[in-house]
Structures are given as C-alpha cells and as structure tokens.
Amino acid sequence: MKRFILHIIVLIGFVGFSQNQPKVSVKADTTKIRIGETINYQIIVDNADTGVNFSEIKLDSFGRVELVESFDIDTLKNKLIKKYTLTSWDSGRYVIPRQRVYVWSQEYLTDSLMIDVNTVAVDTLKQQLYTIKAIQNEPYTFDDFKNYLLWILGILLVLGLILYFLFKRKKTEFDAAGQPILAPYQEAILHLKQLDKKQLWQNNKVKEYYSELTSIVRYYIERELKIPALERTTDGLIDTLTDFSDAESIVTTPETIKKLKALLQEADLVKFAKSKPVASEIENDRGNAEEIINTLQPTAVMNTMRDVESELPIILVQKPDHKKPSLLNKALIIIGLLLILFAIAYTVNTGLRMKGAFQDAYQEQQLNQRADELE
C-alpha cells in the first residue's frame, strides 16, 4: 500500500513538471492568399515570460515570401507572442520553415507552415482591356531642384563676398565734431601752419607761442610713436626717445633728438623762467619743430610731405589708398559673372535633361515588360 501511494505521488510530480515546461507553437490567420495580400504570422511561447529569445525569422528557401513588418513581443498571462506580417508577390506553394526559439538558452523548434499564393483571375470577357498609353513624364517637385538651388546659393554667396571686397571703399573716420580725423603728420603740419597765422610771438605772446609749439610736437609724438609725450617731463621724454632709437623702434637721428631737447628746454625757460628769446631764435625753433616732425617717425612709416594748404592732401604711406576699379576691370568682372551664371544654367539644364532621359528609358522598359506580360 505504501509503495502504491509513493508511485502516485511521483507520477503527480512528473505531470506537474511537464505542465510547466515551455511550449512553442505557430499560428497564422490564413494559409491561402492572393498575390500581394498579407498573412499575420505568430510565434507563441507558453509557460514562459522571461529568458525567451526569438531568433531572426527564416522564410521559404526560394525567397518568394517577404517580411513586411516585425512587431514587438506581446505578453499575455504566462505567454509570449511574437507577431509578423508576411506577403508574397509570386504565385505558388511555399513552406515557412521551423523557427528557433531559445528559452533560458535551451533551443525549441516550431512547426513548419505551408502557404498557398494564388494569382488574381482576370476575365478578359467581362473586364475591358485598355490600350497602352504613351509615356508620361513625371512632374517635377522641389526635391528635383533642391541640390541645384543649394549650389546656386553657395556660388552667389561667394560672388557677393568677392564683389563686396572688390568695390568696398575706404571709410573716412570722423571725430566727435564731425570733422575728418587727419593722420598724425598731416595734423601736425596743419597746426604749425595755423600757429604761424596767429602771429603770437609777433604780438608779444611768446609764452603762448612756445606752449602751442611744443604741444604740437608732443601731440605728434604721442599719436605717431604711441608715447605719452604730453605727460612726460623734458628729460623723461628725451630718455624714452633715446631708448626707442637705440632699439631701432623709431626712425630718427641723434641730431633730431638733440634739437628736440633744445626746443623743449627753451620752452621751459620761456614758460617758467620768463626768458625772452629774440626773433631769430624763435624762427629757428619754429624750423626745428617742423624738422623734428619730418624726421621723427615709427620704423615702418614713410611720409610723403606736401603743402597742407594746397588742394592735394598730405598722404601717409602707412596704409595705401584703396584704388577704385577701372572701367575695364568692371567690364571684365561683369563678363566673368555672366559666364559663371551661364555655366550654372547650362549645368542645371543638362542635369534636368539627363534626368528626363533616364525617366523615359525606365518608363519604356516598364512598358515593354507590361506588353510582354499581356502577350
């Protein structure tokens, strides 16, 4: 009796274990379709909700059955369902082979499935056959011209930049009062001319004369040589210029520095010691001031001196003037632009014609295939 009960218990355990084993099966909503219709194909795994790996689906060996779409895995209680949509464009009978499914690395195989793909019957007596139509050109869309438009915009941008830098004119800088800002040398010579017209020392205003004269020279040095000459003492300024001259940072001579020192010292005596130089000394200091301005320059600067009161301005060759393009150059530029635009238009036209030729050839091929099928 005890042995009988033990056998029953063992048998119940095996039955329960077998019921918990994963089970793999396939299902399709139909096995008979017409060309182009779809089949809803499912792989179902029972008694497993984790550790399941669906292998890549394998279709018939002839490649006549195609995969349209693969869906995500659905979970239903203790069941996993993998769905696919299949179709076929060739009539015949095809076998979908057994699919592999791995549950916790153990391989399971589904059953194979046979499907029939039938052609669509055409009754030529009831359905009218239409004549073959002539080849129709495909209408153009924006995508057909998008690449050409990008090329054209890029070329126009480059041409615009070239024209901008070619015809750009040098802008004149103005001060707060709206007057053109002169170059340092031109401004200094102009101020010396204006100082001569005031006739200060001739009217016993020697102190004012020397004050303006040295201010003109100091301001020129400050603008041209980038040295704070207006704030320096005479000795400090002379020492700085001597150091710059020794370092070859400015173009000058020891004689020029010596004359500048004598001019500044004379002005200090007039302003602070009430010294009164004679007319010949004043005229000599005036000439020395202009000579200092003419010969005291930065290393890379060459001055072209002209009469300030003349119609032609004094030009500093620090920065060459922008030359306006001649009429011949403008004509050549316009001709070049026209040639570029012609090349662009020719390229676009050639591309469109090639596309049309390819489309005509493709449509003719399709038409021939259709005629062969009808025959």
Side-chain angles (χ1 to χ4, degrees):
M1 186 66 180
K2 291 181 180 181
R3 181 178 299 177
F4 178 73
I5 295 173
L6 180 60
H7 287 172
I8 292 176
I9 293 173
V10 172
L11 182 61
I12 292 173
F14 276 114
V15 171
F17 178 75
S18 62
Q19 289 179 349
N20 292 329
Q21 283 291 318
K23 181 181 179 182
V24 178
S25 60
V26 293
K27 180 181 178 182
D29 60 343
T30 181
T31 58
K32 295 183 179 181
I33 61 172
R34 290 179 294 183
I35 291 177
E37 292 182 341
T38 58
I39 299 174
N40 295 320
Y41 181 80
Q42 299 179 2
I43 301 177
I44 304 169
V45 181
D46 290 309
N47 300 327
D49 54 2
T50 58
V52 178
N53 182 19
F54 291 89
S55 300
E56 182 180 358
I57 187 171
K58 294 183 179 180
L59 302 178
D60 69 302
S61 57
F62 298 101
R64 303 298 176 88
V65 180
E66 301 177 6
L67 175 65
V68 178
E69 189 175 2
S70 175
F71 299 92
D72 294 334
I73 300 173
D74 292 335
T75 303
L76 184 62
K77 294 183 179 180
N78 196 26
K79 180 186 299 184
L80 297 180
I81 302 174
K82 178 67 174 178
K83 297 180 180 179
Y84 304 90
T85 300
L86 310 178
T87 189
S88 178
W89 298 96
D90 290 310
S91 60
R93 175 170 292 184
Y94 309 109
V95 176
I96 299 177
R98 306 174 71 184
Q99 307 297 324
R100 287 186 173 84
V101 179
Y102 294 90
V103 181
W104 298 112
S105 300
Q106 183 175 351
E107 183 182 67
Y108 292 85
L109 293 176
T110 67
D111 294 331
S112 59
L113 182 68
M114 181 174 292
I115 62 173
D116 292 321
V117 181
N118 301 316
T119 58
V120 179
V122 178
D123 190 348
T124 57
L125 299 178
K126 295 182 179 180
Q127 184 174 352
Q128 181 182 357
L129 294 179
Y130 297 95
T131 57
I132 299 175
K133 294 183 179 180
I135 298 175
Q136 301 293 326
N137 292 327
E138 181 182 353
Y140 295 111
T141 62
F142 175 75
D143 291 336
D144 297 330
F145 303 94
K146 183 168 62 176
N147 294 332
Y148 300 108
L149 289 177
L150 292 177
W151 275 102
I152 292 174
L153 291 177
I155 293 174
L156 291 178
L157 178 61
V158 173
L159 293 178
L161 292 176
I162 293 174
L163 292 177
Y164 172 77
F165 288 108
L166 188 61
F167 292 98
K168 180 179 69 171
R169 294 183 178 179
K170 181 182 178 182
K171 295 183 179 179
T172 304
E173 296 182 354
F174 297 89
D175 58 14
Q179 298 296 326
I181 298 178
L182 302 177
Y185 175 79
Q186 184 178 0
E187 183 181 36
I189 297 299
L190 179 62
H191 287 169
L192 287 178
K193 296 292 184 178
Q194 293 173 351
L195 179 62
D196 293 339
K197 291 181 180 180
K198 292 180 181 180
Q199 295 186 347
L200 294 178
W201 67 271
Q202 292 89 339
N203 295 320
N204 275 336
K205 295 181 180 180
V206 179
K207 183 177 180 179
E208 290 84 349
Y209 179 81
Y210 272 93
S211 179
E212 286 195 28
L213 183 64
T214 54
S215 295
I216 292 171
V217 176
R218 284 176 177 270
Y219 188 61
Y220 166 77
I221 295 174
E222 184 161 309
R223 286 193 64 195
E224 190 68 73
L225 305 182
K226 304 297 184 294
I227 296 174
L230 295 174
E231 303 173 359
R232 297 287 180 90
T233 62
T234 298
D235 293 337
L237 178 58
I238 296 301
D239 292 340
T240 302
L241 291 175
T242 302
D243 293 339
F244 274 56
S245 178
D246 294 340
E248 297 183 354
S249 299
I250 60 176
V251 177
T252 186
T253 62
E255 184 66 23
T256 300
I257 297 178
K258 183 178 179 181
K259 289 182 179 181
L260 175 61
K261 182 177 181 180
L263 174 63
L264 295 178
Q265 288 176 344
E266 183 66 26
D268 291 340
L269 291 175
V270 172
K271 289 187 289 184
F272 303 112
K274 297 182 179 181
S275 174
K276 293 185 178 181
V278 295
S280 60
E281 293 176 342
I282 296 175
E283 291 177 353
N284 184 60
D285 288 337
R286 165 63 177 81
N288 289 338
E290 186 169 351
E291 183 179 349
I292 291 168
I293 292 173
N294 289 335
T295 57
L296 192 60
Q297 308 166 14
T299 301
V301 176
M302 296 294 295
N303 292 328
T304 302
M305 296 173 291
R306 301 183 183 177
D307 188 0
V308 177
E309 294 180 344
S310 65
E311 295 181 358
L312 296 176
I314 297 176
I315 301 175
L316 286 184
V317 192
Q318 299 169 265
K319 188 176 181 180
D321 290 338
H322 178 76
K323 293 183 179 180
K324 188 177 180 180
S326 63
L327 183 61
L328 178 60
N329 291 337
K330 289 183 178 180
L332 292 177
I333 291 172
I334 294 174
I335 293 173
L337 293 178
L338 292 176
L339 290 175
I340 293 175
L341 293 177
F342 175 77
I344 294 173
Y346 178 78
T347 303
V348 173
N349 186 37
T350 303
L352 294 178
R353 283 189 297 162
M354 291 179 63
K355 180 180 178 182
F358 286 134
Q359 289 178 347
D360 293 343
Y362 175 75
Q363 291 178 355
E364 184 177 0
Q365 181 182 5
Q366 295 294 322
L367 190 61
N368 292 334
Q369 290 180 356
R370 182 180 176 187
D372 293 339
E373 292 176 357
L374 292 177
E375 291 178 357

